[in-house]
Amino acid sequence: ENSKSSIRLDQYVIEVANNAGPIAMIRDENTRPKSTSNYLDKSNRQLRIFSASGNLISERSFPTSKGEEGRLVKLGWTANEMLVTVQESGLIKFSDINVDQAKQVQLFTKENNKVSETISIAVIHSHGVIAVTSDLRFIAVSNASSKADNVFHKGYKLDLNVFYLQSAPIRQLRPQPYVTALEVIDHSEANGLELIVALSNKELWKLSENNAHEVLSLEPLNSPAIALSLSPGGGFVACYTASGLLLVFKDDLTNQIMEFETRSKDPPKQLVWCGQDCVLMHWPGLGILMVGPGEHFTNLYYAASNPLVLAPEIDCCRIITQFSIELLQRVPESIEAICNIGSTDPAAMLFDAMEAFQDGDPKADDHIRAMTKSYEQTHSVPGIEIGEEPKYDSDDPSNEIKVSDSNESKSAEKDEEAGVMLRDAVTACINAAAAQFDSNEQKALLRAASYGKSFLSDFDSEDFVACCRKLRVLNALRDRKVGMPLTSYQYDLIGSNVILEMLVRRKMYKLALQVCKHLKISCDAVVLSWACEKISKPESAEMSDESLKSIILKKFIEENVGSYAEVARTATSIKRQKLAKIFLELEPNSRRQVELLCELGEYESATKKAISSGNFDLIAFALLSAEEYEDNESNVEKKDKTQTSNLFQIAFNYPEALNVLKAYYYNIEDCGETAKIQKLLSFKDLLIEKGAIATEKAYEESNIGEHMAKLDSALSIYSKSKELNFYYNSTKEQIELMKEKSKLEEEFALDKEKKFFAGCSLYETVSKGIVISANKNMTPKDRENLTNAVLKLAKKYKMSDKCICHLRVKSLASIKHWEQLKEMSNERKSPIGYEPFARAAIDGGLL
């Protein structure tokens, strides 16, 4: 168990990640060797992760089936090399290749340290897990392949989604069957999660989150399906039944493609696809049965002393044996065209020409010309043999011209087609080189492509250069020390960024940097990841902050990396605050500085940095982050009016911050939340603004009593300082004016529902009083008393005689009371003269 030499593959549960990924293995308790009879008495066993070349990456202890969590139901990988373990008790753990646990989920609640349900079977797919409980409930855990913004240095960030698939129709079956096989056929965002379920009653079901139905379009199975396998990329599903029958369906299960009788009484240990071409079945001690289209098959023998594991890939299948790793793949068309015996394909002819040229054989040129000659022999002009003179009437000059033009056109077309053939041959040699694993074969094919393109003046060498770069990367990855034997198709499928992520997860920073430089892509993320790893190492704990800064800064300058925020964040996570501040000061991006300072709880420093940047959105971010922290009950023991004192103190220390915070609070005040702005203004007794808010709220009230009560509140605020006498007196006069207006309405029995004077200023109150007093429905005495009352009110608030006179003229003219206007002009000498009277008469149409 503790020595690599003691590992036998047939004694382990083994799962292999896609795209030349790592190999996870753990001792199978059902197949323990006799020499370790006391193995199950141990509380733990080792979960090991190896590279594809057999190098140990990491290991950790894992509980046996005697532990609280029960037996290991399923082990597997997600699309981003996240190792998933599913245990009988419903505990699902997600770990990276260094077996650092990222997250765990417990599907069931425990009562008295026992769970009411257990997991009987599970399937792990590229984005999560589907577990089947003992009572046929299907629980899905998805989003396991989600990541942080930059996985190079932040690691995994899982936001798992747990939900039930629809399975009620299956639970209602009687007698109740059990699940014999599972396979996920779709987990796209558009269609959601779809699952094929094979039951012991010979039925196949399709389940999703909202639907469950039996597949009725197929002929009934003669025995239960005990293994299901989806082809890479989808499209087909292979099904193996208990009677030894292999069936292949379309992935929607509407059409059966193939049926093959294996004549085996024992089920295969593995049923997988080799690319999209064929199905592989492995029986221990017997080897591999490969079944292709048209029921063609072949046997690959492996002795019982050489146990193996099949690892399906998108375009091939890895065969991991006790002693080596093999790759089973359909021969690419380009290699087949070149390497077939007696091939006359242009690519084969070009390869022969290159070999002849290297040997100094003058026939090399003949091989190149042969492609053109081959074209001429197969594309001659109908009715005219090669070398034969064309026939035409010499007396007709037009015929001569036409035949001459036709010959020139045919010659140009033949030259063009010959160029196309040579160009296709060069492309085929490039593709064949990319598909080869042997470096000598790669070089030979690239030399052939280089030789051929030298005859093409307009050939774009970009594909040739890209292939050379790709092969250098692939050959480096295939090295035994790296252990990532990717194929060319896999490289193109996942892209360079994913390859860099894989190298960083394996902490191969030097190789990752070389790949970046060779492919001419940014290496910032790789260098950041290296720096974060550097300061996190245990041996770095003994190094001084200045030493670490010097080492990391030197590398950043060499690689032209300008961001230090992530390094500072990592330093914070390992409690090296001083080092974090050193790198934070080096960070040129203000937003990253402010965000990290807020994460550290340095809200005043964050606000200061935001102010220096001149970005008001950044200032708001810093202040609101401080507010969010203080509003969090876990950070504040008692929620009282001193709760936001730190935030307000920061705001009052910096005028720009105060203005931003006040603008924000005023904005949310319009949405009905007034408590925050009141607390802010109360913190430093900003009486003018507090009084203004109280006054504004008063004028939003339609009820006169509420209106006056809030004005009284504003008056009490202004009374707290002698410097606010103007505001105090103005508010006091407004309250008195409101009382006078109410008194007028009561004294002259005005309709209170109409609220004649509500919301009116002094000028409007006097004007309305004059208009109402001119109403003929009132007695002369009441009219006179009302007029005198509003004029007295105007005098009380020091309205001038001229203003009162102008107001009376304008008000009487507006209701066309010309007789009263005439009486007013004759009362005494007018303080405003008689021009306003004349203009009122003109505007009224009297003159």
Side-chain angles (χ1 to χ4, degrees):
E1 175 68 12
N2 296 320
S3 63
K4 185 176 176 182
S5 60
S6 67
I7 292 176
R8 276 190 55 87
L9 299 185
D10 54 356
Q11 296 173 357
Y12 282 77
V13 176
I14 299 174
E15 289 294 337
V16 186
N18 290 333
N19 299 318
I23 303 168
M25 56 195 309
I26 187 171
R27 176 82 69 176
D28 187 351
E29 295 177 325
N30 298 322
T31 59
R32 74 184 191 278
K34 295 180 180 179
S35 60
T36 56
S37 58
N38 62 341
Y39 175 72
L40 290 180
D41 294 333
K42 298 178 182 180
S43 60
N44 290 292
R45 47 186 167 158
Q46 292 300 111
L47 172 61
R48 292 170 169 171
I49 298 179
F50 294 89
S51 70
S53 59
N55 298 321
L56 181 64
I57 297 175
S58 60
E59 64 179 333
R60 68 173 169 88
S61 60
F62 193 87
T64 65
S65 59
K66 287 191 173 183
E68 292 183 1
E69 307 303 337
R71 68 181 177 90
L72 177 65
V73 177
K74 188 65 177 177
L75 178 72
W77 297 90
T78 64
N80 58 344
E81 296 186 336
M82 177 74 73
L83 180 63
V84 185
T85 58
V86 182
Q87 293 178 260
E88 192 176 25
S89 65
L91 180 64
I92 301 177
K93 294 181 180 180
F94 298 85
S95 310
D96 63 14
I97 64 172
N98 299 305
V99 291
D100 293 329
Q101 185 169 308
K103 197 163 187 176
Q104 70 177 31
V105 177
Q106 175 55 257
L107 300 181
F108 310 128
T109 56
K110 288 188 175 183
E111 296 180 4
N112 299 324
N113 292 327
K114 293 184 179 181
V115 293
S116 57
E117 297 181 85
T118 58
I119 300 297
S120 59
I121 188 173
V123 59
I124 298 171
H125 57 92
S126 58
H127 297 283
V129 184
I130 297 178
V132 184
T133 67
S134 52
D135 62 347
L136 289 181
R137 296 182 187 276
F138 291 75
I139 308 174
V141 181
S142 62
N143 292 343
S145 61
S146 60
K147 308 172 186 175
D149 296 335
N150 197 329
V151 300
F152 291 105
H153 48 270
K154 290 185 181 178
Y156 293 100
K157 182 180 179 181
L158 299 181
D159 185 15
L160 299 176
N161 181 25
V162 181
F163 58 93
Y164 282 87
L165 298 181
Q166 179 60 258
S167 60
I170 294 179
R171 295 199 304 275
Q172 294 171 1
L173 295 175
R174 294 294 182 272
Q176 192 173 80
Y178 60 88
V179 176
T180 57
L182 294 172
E183 184 63 296
V184 176
I185 59 172
D186 195 354
H187 44 72
S188 63
E189 294 183 2
N191 300 326
L193 189 66
E194 289 188 353
L195 178 71
I196 298 178
V197 181
L199 300 177
S200 58
N201 62 359
K202 307 179 186 180
E203 294 179 354
L204 291 177
W205 285 68
K206 288 181 71 174
L207 304 185
S208 64
E209 186 174 358
N210 302 312
N211 188 27
H213 62 87
E214 182 185 359
V215 180
L216 301 175
S217 57
L218 300 174
E219 295 182 6
L221 300 177
N222 60 359
S223 60
I226 57 175
L228 296 169
S229 180
L230 180 71
S231 62
F236 303 100
V237 175
C239 171
Y240 189 88
T241 67
S243 61
L245 192 64
L246 173 66
L247 304 171
V248 177
F249 306 109
K250 287 281 190 180
D251 60 358
D252 57 2
L253 302 182
T254 58
N255 188 16
Q256 181 174 313
I257 306 299
M258 185 186 71
E259 180 177 321
F260 182 83
E261 178 62 60
T262 65
R263 298 187 179 90
S264 173
K265 296 181 180 180
D266 298 322
K269 186 175 182 180
Q270 281 185 279
L271 171 70
V272 300
W273 285 81
C274 181
Q276 296 278 1
D277 302 298
C278 59
V279 179
L280 304 181
M281 290 168 283
H282 166 229
W283 282 269
L286 297 177
I288 299 172
L289 175 63
M290 180 168 63
V291 182
E295 301 183 27
H296 297 290
F297 69 94
T298 187
N299 289 305
L300 305 176
Y301 176 71
Y302 288 85
S305 60
N306 187 18
L308 61 87
V309 176
L310 300 178
E313 299 280 9
I314 187 71
D315 62 334
C316 61
C317 180
R318 282 189 282 164
I319 304 175
I320 302 169
T321 71
Q322 188 71 33
F323 310 105
S324 65
I325 177 171
E326 302 172 9
L327 192 74
L328 182 62
Q329 182 185 36
R330 180 177 180 176
V331 178
E333 293 180 359
S334 55
I335 295 179
E336 184 180 3
I338 295 171
C339 298
N340 262 353
I341 299 175
S343 174
T344 58
D345 191 270
M349 297 168 67
L350 176 60
F351 190 80
D352 292 340
M354 183 274 299
E355 288 186 328
F357 177 76
Q358 285 188 326
D359 294 339
D361 190 340
K363 291 184 179 180
D365 188 59
D366 295 338
H367 287 294
I368 293 292
R369 293 180 182 277
M371 282 183 276
T372 305
K373 184 176 180 181
S374 174
Y375 171 81
E376 290 174 347
Q377 289 176 345
T378 56
H379 293 78
S380 58
V381 179
I384 301 178
E385 297 296 331
I386 300 296
E388 180 184 351
E389 291 291 332
K391 298 177 181 180
Y392 56 89
D393 188 354
S394 58
D395 295 333
D396 187 355
S398 62
N399 284 339
E400 182 179 358
I401 295 172
K402 290 179 180 178
V403 171
S404 176
D405 290 346
S406 175
N407 287 340
E408 292 177 2
S409 175
K410 294 295 183 182
S411 176
E413 289 180 6
K414 286 190 285 185
D415 291 342
E416 182 180 352
E417 291 294 334
V420 170
M421 291 176 66
L422 186 55
R423 184 176 287 104
D424 290 344
V426 172
T427 301
C429 287
I430 293 173
N431 293 337
Q436 284 284 6
F437 272 71
D438 185 82
S439 60
N440 292 325
E441 293 292 338
Q442 294 170 358
K443 292 174 184 178
L445 289 164
L446 287 174
R447 281 195 296 269
S450 179
Y451 178 69
K453 72 185 183 69
S454 64
F455 292 92
L456 299 169
S457 58
D458 60 341
F459 185 81
D460 187 359
S461 298
E462 183 177 347
D463 290 341
F464 181 84
V465 174
C467 179
C468 293
R469 287 178 176 165
K470 177 167 69 172
L471 284 174
R472 289 197 66 181
V473 174
L474 285 173
N475 290 337
L477 296 175
R478 292 165 182 169
D479 185 87
R480 184 182 184 86
K481 295 180 181 179
V482 179
M484 293 171 56
L486 285 167
T487 65
S488 175
Y489 182 81
Q490 292 168 1
Y491 176 95
D492 295 334
L493 183 68
I494 63 178
S496 58
N497 284 336
V498 175
I499 289 173
L500 290 175
E501 290 178 20
M502 295 168 72
L503 289 173
V504 166
R505 281 196 285 266
R506 290 157 176 78
K507 300 180 181 179
M508 297 180 178
Y509 301 108
K510 184 177 180 180
L511 179 57
L513 280 175
Q514 290 173 345
V515 170
C516 290
K517 293 176 181 178
H518 184 66
L519 298 179
K520 298 182 179 180
I521 58 179
S522 173
C523 63
D524 289 11
V526 175
V527 178
L528 279 172
S529 181
W530 166 81
C532 295
E533 176 67 19
K534 179 69 177 176
I535 63 176
S536 300
K537 286 183 176 179
E539 52 266 30
S540 298
E542 300 177 358
M543 297 178 65
S544 66
D545 294 339
E546 288 299 324
S547 298
L548 283 172
K549 173 194 171 184
S550 177
I551 295 171
I552 293 173
L553 190 59
K554 180 181 177 182
K555 192 65 177 179
F556 273 48
I557 294 173
E558 287 177 0
E559 304 299 340
N560 195 26
V561 179
S563 178
Y564 297 86
E566 291 305 326
V567 185
R569 181 177 282 109
T570 303
T572 302
S573 67
I574 59 174
K575 310 301 181 184
R576 298 191 67 163
Q577 304 294 342
K578 184 179 178 181
L579 183 61
K581 290 181 179 179
I582 290 174
F583 283 113
L584 195 58
E585 288 299 323
L586 295 172
E587 173 60 48
N589 187 296
S590 298
R591 176 166 288 279
R592 293 197 187 108
Q593 281 185 317
V594 171
E595 289 175 352
L596 184 54
L597 285 169
C598 289
E599 290 180 20
L600 299 177
E602 300 284 343
Y603 297 109
E604 185 165 6
S605 298
T607 304
K608 190 176 179 180
K609 287 286 184 184
I611 292 171
S612 64
S613 72
N615 187 331
F616 290 101
D617 290 337
L618 210 52
I619 299 172
F621 173 82
L623 294 171
L624 295 181
S625 296
E627 181 188 55
E628 182 181 2
Y629 175 81
E630 294 186 355
D631 286 345
N632 190 342
E633 291 183 358
S634 64
N635 296 321
V636 181
E637 295 181 359
K638 295 181 179 180
K639 299 183 75 68
D640 54 22
K641 63 182 179 180
T642 64
Q643 163 189 334
T644 54
S645 60
N646 188 40
L647 166 66
F648 293 163
Q649 186 62 58
I650 293 172
F652 279 99
N653 288 343
Y654 304 97
E656 298 91 340
L658 180 60
N659 291 334
V660 169
L661 191 61
K662 285 199 298 187
Y664 170 71
Y665 282 167
Y666 277 127
N667 186 53
I668 64 173
E669 181 198 13
D670 294 338
C671 302
E673 188 173 348
T674 60
K676 290 185 176 182
I677 186 63
Q678 291 288 354
K679 285 183 179 180
L680 175 64
L681 299 177
S682 299
F683 184 74
K684 287 286 185 178
D685 283 337
L686 298 180
L687 301 177
I688 295 178
E689 294 186 46
K690 284 183 66 177
I693 290 176
T695 304
E696 288 177 8
K697 294 300 178 184
Y699 280 95
E700 291 175 2
E701 294 291 343
S702 56
N703 183 278
I704 190 66
E706 293 291 333
H707 186 105
M708 293 185 67
K710 291 190 175 181
L711 280 181
D712 284 334
S713 175
L715 187 65
S716 65
I717 293 172
Y718 292 136
S719 65
K720 294 180 180 180
S721 174
K722 294 181 179 180
E723 297 178 358
L724 304 179
N725 283 338
F726 172 77
Y727 299 97
Y728 176 82
N729 293 331
S730 299
T731 306
K732 184 177 180 181
E733 288 179 355
Q734 179 63 25
I735 294 173
E736 292 176 354
L737 177 60
M738 292 182 65
K739 292 179 179 179
E740 293 283 354
K741 291 189 291 185
S742 298
K743 184 178 178 181
L744 286 175
E745 290 177 350
E746 292 176 0
E747 184 177 348
F748 294 96
L750 300 178
D751 191 348
K752 292 185 178 181
E753 293 184 0
K754 292 185 178 181
K755 298 179 181 178
F756 287 100
F757 300 121
C760 294
S761 64
L762 175 63
Y763 186 91
E764 292 169 336
T765 302
V766 174
S767 176
K768 278 192 174 184
I770 293 171
V771 170
I772 294 171
S773 65
N775 192 331
K776 292 182 179 180
N777 294 330
M778 296 184 69
T779 63
K781 185 177 181 180
D782 287 341
R783 282 202 298 269
E784 182 179 358
N785 290 339
L786 180 56
T787 301
N788 291 336
V790 295
L791 293 179
K792 183 179 179 182
L793 186 63
K795 290 284 187 181
K796 179 179 179 180
Y797 290 101
K798 301 177 182 179
M799 186 180 287
S800 65
D801 291 340
K802 287 185 177 182
C803 183
I804 294 172
C805 195
H806 274 293
L807 183 57
R808 292 184 67 187
V809 170
K810 184 177 179 181
S811 301
L812 292 173
S814 66
I815 56 175
K816 301 185 183 303
H817 275 233
W818 307 115
E819 293 180 1
Q820 290 189 25
L821 194 59
K822 183 178 180 182
E823 291 176 3
M824 176 183 167
S825 65
N826 294 329
E827 285 179 355
R828 56 186 177 85
K829 185 177 180 180
S830 173
I832 59 173
Y834 295 97
E835 181 179 348
F837 292 90
R839 287 192 177 279
I842 293 171
D843 293 339
L846 296 181
L847 297 178

